[in-house]
C-alpha cells in the first residue's frame, strides 16, 4: 500500500506540471497539491502504520475507494456507451470556451462529434447552447454556428441559444426552445465523454429523458477531467 501512495504522489506532481504547462481543468491544481501532500506523508512507513493501524481509517479508506471507483466507472461507461441507436429530432451541443473567433479544442471536439451525427442524420436539428463569457468576443453559440456552417451544415438546421452560462442553463433554455418547436421530441446531448453522465443527470432532474453523444478530450488532461467530474457528479447526487 505504501507503494500506492508513493506512486500517487508522483502522479499528482505530474498532473500539476501538466496543468501549469498546458492549462485547462480549472481549479484542479490545489486539489492535486492536496492529494500529493497527503500521499507523500503516507509514503513514509511510520506515518502510514500510525494512520492505517486504526481500523476506522482502514474502513473509511476502503469505502472511499469503492465509491470513487464505482462512480468513475459509471462516468467512463456513460461516455462511451451513450450514442443513441435511432436518429433524434434534436441534439443540444453544450458550449465551451471560445478563443478569439474560433472554438477552443474542447468545444471543437464536441462540434466534430455533432457534425458527424448531423451528417449521418440529415433530419436532425441542433441547438447550439452557450452564452458569452467575460473573456470571449462572441457567444459560444455563434462560434459553433460559424464552425458548422463552414463545414457544410445547413444554417436552417441550427438553432442558437446564446444566454446560458452553465450546464443547467444550457439545458433549461435549450429545452424551452425545443418545446416551442415540437413537443415530446427525442433529444440527445453532445458534450465530452467525461461530462455525459452529469449532463444526463441534470436533464433527468428536469424530468427529461435524453441520450448522450460523447466527444473525445485532450488526452493529457483526461485524468484531471475525470477526477474533477467525480466531485461534480457526487455533488449532483447529494443535492
Amino acid at each position: 500500500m505504501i507503494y500506492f501512495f508513493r506512486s500517487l504522489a508522483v502522479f499528482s506532481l505530474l498532473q500539476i506540471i501538466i496543468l501549469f504547462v498546458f492549462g485547462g481543468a480549472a481549479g484542479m491544481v490545489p486539489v492535486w497539491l492536496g492529494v500529493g501532500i497527503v500521499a507523500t506523508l503516507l509514503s513514509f512507513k511510520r506515518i502510514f502504520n500510525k494512520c492505517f493501524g486504526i481500523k476506522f481509517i482502514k474502513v473509511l479508506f476502503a469505502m472511499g475507494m469503492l465509491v470513487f471507483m464505482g462512480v468513475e466507472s459509471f462516468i467512463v461507461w456513460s461516455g462511451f456507451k451513450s450514442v443513441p441507436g435511432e436518429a433524434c429530432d434534436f441534439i443540444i451541443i453544450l458550449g465551451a470556451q471560445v478563443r478569439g473567433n474560433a472554438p477552443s479544442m474542447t468545444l471543437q471536439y464536441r462540434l466534430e462529434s455533432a457534425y458527424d451525427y448531423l451528417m449521418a442524420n440529415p433530419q436532425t436539428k441542433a441547438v447550439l447552447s452557450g452564452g458569452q463569457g467575460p473573456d470571449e468576443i462572441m457567444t459560444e453559440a455563434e462560434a459553433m454556428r460559424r464552425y458548422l456552417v463552414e463545414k457544410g451544415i445547413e444554417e436552417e438546421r441550427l438553432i442558437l441559444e446564446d444566454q446560458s452560462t452553465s450546464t443547467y442553463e444550457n439545458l433549461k433554455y435549450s429545452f424551452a426552445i425545443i418545446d416551442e418547436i415540437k413537443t415530446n421530441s427525442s433529444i440527445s446531448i453532445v458534450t465530452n465523454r467525461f461530462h455525459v453522465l452529469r449532463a444526463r443527470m441534470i436533464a433527468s432532474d428536469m424530468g427529461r429523458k435524453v441520450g448522450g453523444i460523447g466527444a473525445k478530450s485532450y488526452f493529457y488532461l483526461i485524468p484531471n477531467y475525470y477526477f474533477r467530474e467525480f466531485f461534480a457528479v457526487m455533488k449532483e447526487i447529494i443535492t
Side-chain angles (χ1 to χ4, degrees):
M1 184 68 79
I2 287 178
Y3 291 105
F4 166 78
F5 287 112
R6 289 175 182 173
S7 299
L8 182 58
V10 173
F11 185 75
S12 299
L13 177 61
L14 177 62
Q15 296 310 309
I16 292 171
I17 293 171
I18 288 173
L19 289 173
F20 274 116
V21 173
F22 297 104
M28 286 302 294
V29 170
V31 175
W32 283 117
L33 184 60
V35 171
I37 291 172
V38 172
T40 299
L41 291 173
L42 291 172
S43 297
F44 294 98
K45 190 173 182 179
R46 184 177 177 182
I47 297 175
F48 174 85
N49 289 337
K50 187 173 182 180
C51 291
F52 281 84
I54 302 171
K55 187 176 181 180
F56 173 75
I57 293 179
K58 274 185 179 179
V59 173
L60 190 65
F61 178 77
M63 290 177 62
M65 288 299 295
L66 285 173
V67 170
F68 178 77
M69 289 187 292
V71 172
E72 285 292 350
S73 297
F74 201 40
I75 292 172
V76 172
W77 180 85
S78 296
F80 281 93
K81 300 291 185 181
S82 57
V83 179
E86 298 180 0
C88 297
D89 296 317
F90 296 90
I91 59 173
I92 300 172
I93 310 172
L94 302 186
Q97 188 175 25
V98 172
R99 301 183 187 278
N101 295 318
S104 62
M105 282 305 300
T106 295
L107 182 52
Q108 188 171 320
Y109 287 145
R110 297 180 186 184
L111 290 168
E112 288 173 357
S113 293
Y115 170 79
D116 290 341
Y117 189 85
L118 291 169
M119 290 297 291
N121 300 280
Q123 72 275 33
T124 300
K125 293 185 178 181
V127 178
L128 317 179
S129 181
Q132 183 174 349
D135 57 346
E136 296 172 333
I137 64 173
M138 68 174 68
T139 65
E140 294 164 5
E142 175 60 20
M144 289 190 273
R145 183 195 68 81
R146 294 185 184 186
Y147 179 92
L148 291 171
V149 169
E150 287 178 6
K151 292 271 284 186
I153 301 298
E154 300 88 341
E155 195 156 1
E156 56 267 24
R157 298 175 65 193
L158 307 176
I159 305 163
L160 273 64
E161 183 288 294
D162 57 7
Q163 299 301 311
S164 56
T165 58
S166 65
T167 302
Y168 176 84
E169 291 182 354
N170 285 144
L171 298 177
K172 179 182 177 181
Y173 299 159
S174 296
F175 288 146
I177 291 172
I178 291 170
D179 287 345
E180 290 181 359
I181 301 171
K182 182 182 178 181
T183 57
N184 299 318
S185 302
S186 56
I187 303 169
S188 282
I189 301 168
V190 182
T191 187
N192 301 91
R193 290 179 185 131
F194 67 84
H195 192 223
V196 168
L197 174 61
R198 182 158 57 97
R200 295 181 72 182
M201 289 172 67
I202 293 172
S204 179
D205 288 343
M206 296 179 182
R208 302 283 186 148
K209 186 176 181 180
V210 299
I213 301 172
K216 63 183 179 180
S217 303
Y218 287 113
F219 72 92
Y220 47 82
L221 287 176
I222 285 176
N224 289 282
Y225 288 140
Y226 279 89
F227 191 33
R228 181 181 65 183
E229 199 64 14
F230 167 78
F231 298 104
V233 167
M234 289 302 296
K235 180 182 177 182
E236 188 66 27
I237 293 172
I238 294 169
T239 59

